[in-house]
């Protein structure tokens, strides 16, 4: 068996000024004259303990800011043969769609030149301006020619639910190029992240974000995205997976009772999840004891669901204990490598 495949690494993009070499003169002037620089998601403030593990911070610098640091801290210790980079950059959250698009484009070019060209084990997600599907598709088409870009990177909280038909061109482009949609924790803050308004503390954001993933997943199912695009695959990153059994029970029960409302959904939500959805193992919000974990996995009934991820450099575990402690050994090979190869066709084509 080859080395592990880590589907969620976060190389640090220090700010918009790092992208100036990848911008046209007009946009360089816009960035400089307006003083635009850091575009971090509020979910991960730079100084918050969860944002970077203490032993992965280096003085005043950003964690994961160099290829050398990622090699030393995220690739070598875990025997990783492929690592997928997902920069947590706030460009897609901008209201100015043109500025969002050029910054996403520059971030993708920066990723290719500064990271992928310098470390053959790295791959990346295509960052797109999701609020403008036309511009998003343009960026997918532009970057899809590079096989090192292996999924389309979107963030969970946005203006509209992803399954809404205004977003179908994005789904169509992803399916056409064999690119899974990777839905990552992150919020454009267009709407409150809870059903009852805005929370006060960061812990509330992180805990309730599982609801955002469930809403997005259910909307994709109910709108018929997986019927319209049967080859569509969705990877949930930093969603946790302890919520999956309850989601399956409730969504299947409601589908059986109300499916006349959505006749295009031709199979149960549970079957769609098992066929088309995959979830990264970090954060591991599952039972730590083997008996409890086995019971949870039995309820999900899918050995192909989970994908290995360290979520580097976020503080999710200590040392090299990235696999959930209760994960049965029979699934280690699947989780570490096989499940990713099955859901990511581009990794199979060029697997180290």
């Amino acid at each position: 068996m080859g080395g592990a495949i880590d589907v969620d690494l976060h190389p640090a993009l220090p700010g918009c000024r790092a992208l100036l070499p990848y911008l046209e003169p007009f946009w360089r002037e816009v960035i400089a004259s307006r003083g635009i620089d850091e575009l971090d998601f509020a979910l991960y403030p730079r100084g918050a303990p969860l944002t970077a593990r203490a032993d992965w911070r280096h003085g005043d610098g950003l964690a994961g800011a160099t290829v050398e640091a990622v090699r030393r801290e995220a690739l070598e210790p875990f025997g990783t043969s492929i690592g997928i980079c997902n920069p947590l950059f706030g460009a897609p959250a901008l209201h100015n769609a043109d500025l969002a698009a050029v910054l996403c484009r520059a971030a993708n070019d920066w990723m290719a030149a500064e990271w992928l060209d310098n470390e053959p084990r790295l791959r990346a997600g295509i960052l797109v301006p999701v609020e403008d599907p036309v511009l998003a598709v343009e960026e997918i088409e532009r970057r899809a020619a590079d096989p090192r870009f292996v999924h389309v990177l979107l963030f969970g909280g946005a203006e509209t639910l992803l399954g809404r038909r205004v977003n179908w061109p994005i789904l169509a482009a992803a399916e056409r190029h064999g690119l899974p949609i990777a839905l990552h924790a992150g919020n454009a803050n267009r709407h409150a992240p809870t059903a009852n308004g805005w929370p006060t503390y960061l812990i509330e954001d992180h805990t309730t974000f599982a609801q955002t993933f469930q809403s997005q997943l259910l909307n994709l199912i109910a709108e018929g995205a997986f019927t319209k695009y049967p080859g569509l695959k969705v990877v949930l990153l930093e969603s946790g997976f302890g919520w999956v059994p309850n989601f399956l029970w409730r969504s299947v029960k409601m589908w059986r009772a109300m499916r006349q409302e959505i006749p295009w959904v031709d199979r149960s939500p549970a079957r769609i999840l098992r066929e088309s959805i995959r979830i990264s193992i970090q954060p591991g919000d599952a039972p730590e004891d083997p008996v409890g974990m086995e019971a949870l996995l039995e309820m999900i009934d899918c050995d192909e669901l989970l994908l290995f991820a360290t979520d580097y450099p976020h503080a999710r575990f200590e040392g090299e204990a990235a696999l959930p402690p209760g994960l049965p050994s029979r699934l280690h090979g699947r989780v570490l490598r096989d499940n990713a190869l099955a859901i990511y066709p581009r990794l199979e084509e060029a697997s180290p």
Side-chain angles (χ1 to χ4, degrees), residues 13 19 21-24 27 89 91-92 97-113 125-129 135-143 149:
L13 201 169
L19 301 181
Y22 305 97
L23 293 171
E24 295 176 354
W27 291 108
F89 184 48
D98 294 318
L99 181 57
V102 298
L103 287 177
C104 285
R105 180 187 182 104
N108 293 330
D109 291 346
W110 171 85
M111 176 58 64
I126 304 174
L127 198 64
V128 301
L135 294 176
V137 170
E138 286 182 6
E139 186 60 14
I140 293 170
E141 296 292 344
R142 188 181 77 92
R143 267 298 166 195
F149 285 86

Side-chain angles (χ1 to χ4, degrees), residues 120-307:
R121 288 171 289 185
L122 294 181
R123 305 292 186 273
I126 304 174
L127 198 64
V128 301
V130 66
E131 305 300 351
D132 191 313
V134 172
L135 294 176
V137 170
E138 286 182 6
E139 186 60 14
I140 293 170
E141 296 292 344
R142 188 181 77 92
R143 267 298 166 195
D146 186 339
R148 299 175 300 176
F149 285 86
V150 297
H151 61 218
V152 177
L153 178 60
L154 306 179
F155 296 101
E159 184 73 38
T160 62
L161 289 164
L162 181 58
R164 296 290 297 274
R165 297 177 192 193
V166 67
N167 295 318
W168 279 14
I170 298 174
L171 307 184
E175 183 198 43
R176 183 165 60 251
H177 291 289
L179 292 162
I181 294 289
L183 196 60
H184 196 286
N187 200 327
N189 289 327
R190 298 290 198 272
H191 311 288
T194 81
N196 293 307
W198 293 95
T200 303
Y201 301 106
L202 192 58
I203 184 176
E204 297 174 84
D205 256 350
H206 279 266
T207 302
T208 60
F209 212 84
Q211 299 172 17
T212 302
F213 282 103
Q214 292 176 62
S215 297
Q216 291 282 22
L217 179 54
L218 187 58
N219 183 253
L220 283 162
I221 293 171
E223 294 275 357
F226 295 104
T227 305
K228 178 70 173 178
Y229 306 108
L232 178 66
K233 306 298 182 184
V234 175
V235 176
L236 306 183
L237 301 174
E238 292 192 39
S239 69
F241 55 93
W243 51 267
V244 173
N246 181 69
F247 173 83
L248 292 180
W249 294 333
R250 190 168 182 85
S251 61
V252 170
K253 178 181 176 65
M254 293 299 103
W255 174 74
R256 287 171 177 165
M258 306 173 70
R259 58 183 170 180
Q260 71 275 9
E261 179 188 24
I262 48 173
W264 46 82
V265 181
D266 56 2
R267 57 205 189 279
S268 80
R271 181 176 169 187
I272 291 173
L273 181 138
R274 290 163 184 147
E275 291 174 348
S276 303
I277 309 298
R278 298 296 179 263
I279 303 178
S280 68
I281 60 167
Q282 293 295 343
D285 60 345
E288 294 188 0
D289 65 286
V291 174
M293 176 66 87
E294 193 70 69
L296 183 143
L297 295 173
E298 183 178 354
M299 288 184 279
I300 296 173
D301 190 26
C302 181
D303 288 350
E304 292 78 36
L305 181 69
L306 300 179
L307 306 176

